[in-house]
Amino acid sequence: MEPRSDPSTTASEGPTSEGMAARCVDVVKTYRTATESVTALGRVTLGIPRGRVTVVVGPSGAGKSSLLRLLGCVDRPDSGAVHVGDQRVDGLRARARRGLRRRHVSYLFQRPGDNLLPYLGATEQVRLAAAMRGAPVDDAQIEDLLTRLGLGHRGAHRPAELSGGEQQRLAVACSVIGSPTLVVADEPTAELDTAAAERVLAAMADLAATGVAFVVSSHDPRVMAVADGTVHLDHGRVVA
Ligand code: ADP
């Protein structure tokens, strides 16, 4: 996917909502400090399709984290529109944004331990994630998901009793349970060895095929290899 050449993209309206888990239209994000103003994103227009892994790549400072924060509804643009699912989110007040985030957006952080609670077993972690999302999920669904991710025999294990790769696959399970609209993953394999990273990526690709939308920032060529689409950012702009 190259957002600017996507046939669903028009200059004035951006990608159409059809098939898109999230989209940005002409988004500008500027940070102001006491001494300077930095434009992290300059009129970015793109769509994140459902059922795909979209990887955001670019050099340090290109605007990847800023883009993920906007798509993940933790920050707002200075101008332009951000949509998650069918809802425009950039104008929402903090409370409404929090509610939307809880129901529709999951995060997967770089360090496996940051994604999990140390005192809960694997099944309980996933059950809690579903409850936080307000999604009715039964134990059989949780068991199926853990089995699909190669963790079927680890249901009672707490994070300290799992390897880094198993922890991150458990975090993937928590991120997709309850069918969020979008999973935002910030360098999710950066702390894993190659074998573990490949299993996490395979899990993401497998789950994307069931309809989940992942947007992943990464420098990791292994991540780019499983991507269904790539967004290249440089100096806050989408480049071909
Ligand atoms: P990346 O994730 O690609 O490294 P970022 O989105 O973190 O890029 O940053 C884009 C630009 O915005 C960089 O120049 C960075 O220094 C600047 N920036 C990011 N966050 C802030 C902030 N909170 N305050 C000031 N400048 C920021």
Side-chain angles (χ1 to χ4, degrees):
M1 179 198 61
E2 292 298 343
R4 289 262 175 214
S5 58
D6 185 314
S8 66
T9 303
T10 64
S12 60
E13 296 182 353
T16 60
S17 59
E18 199 176 331
M20 293 294 165
R23 57 203 175 99
C24 293
V25 184
D26 271 344
V27 156
V28 175
K29 179 68 193 175
T30 302
Y31 299 102
R32 290 175 192 83
T33 64
T35 52
E36 60 171 0
S37 166
V38 178
T39 299
L41 297 169
R43 303 200 61 176
V44 167
T45 294
L46 52 81
I48 307 297
R50 296 182 209 281
R52 303 277 170 83
V53 178
T54 300
V55 177
V56 181
V57 293
S60 182
K64 302 181 296 296
S65 302
S66 300
L67 176 64
L68 261 52
R69 280 201 296 274
L70 297 184
L71 290 168
C73 307
V74 290
D75 203 357
R76 296 164 65 174
D78 297 293
S79 62
V82 180
H83 301 257
V84 172
D86 294 332
Q87 188 160 358
R88 184 165 173 177
V89 298
D90 51 277
L92 294 179
R93 288 175 182 276
R95 192 171 168 194
R97 218 169 51 234
R98 256 197 321 274
L100 182 124
R101 207 159 60 212
R102 191 174 301 136
R103 176 67 194 90
H104 291 284
V105 183
S106 289
Y107 290 88
L108 204 51
F109 299 106
Q110 193 174 112
R111 280 189 303 201
D114 289 348
N115 292 305
L116 301 168
L117 292 169
Y119 50 83
L120 287 184
T123 301
E124 288 302 319
Q125 306 263 355
V126 182
R127 189 177 289 132
L128 178 67
M132 300 279 286
R133 194 153 294 126
V137 172
D138 60 36
D139 286 356
Q141 282 173 278
I142 295 175
E143 207 178 308
D144 282 354
L145 180 58
L146 289 177
T147 301
R148 187 169 191 150
L149 295 176
L151 297 168
H153 56 308
R154 295 278 193 258
H157 289 56
R158 289 195 294 269
E161 299 162 336
L162 300 172
S163 69
E166 286 175 327
Q167 287 181 30
Q168 204 63 322
R169 293 207 305 285
L170 175 58
V172 171
C174 294
S175 79
V176 300
I177 195 75
S179 304
T181 305
L182 183 68
V183 180
V184 177
D186 184 5
E187 301 267 359
T189 57
E191 303 230 337
L192 301 180
D193 64 37
T194 299
E198 282 173 357
R199 287 199 74 180
V200 168
L201 296 168
M204 285 170 41
D206 176 40
L207 291 163
T210 70
V212 183
F214 288 92
V215 59
V216 184
S217 74
S218 190
H219 292 106
D220 186 344
R222 296 169 304 194
V223 176
M224 292 171 67
V226 300
D228 298 303
T230 309
V231 173
H232 292 265
L233 282 182
D234 196 12
H235 291 95
R237 293 187 179 270
V238 177
V239 292

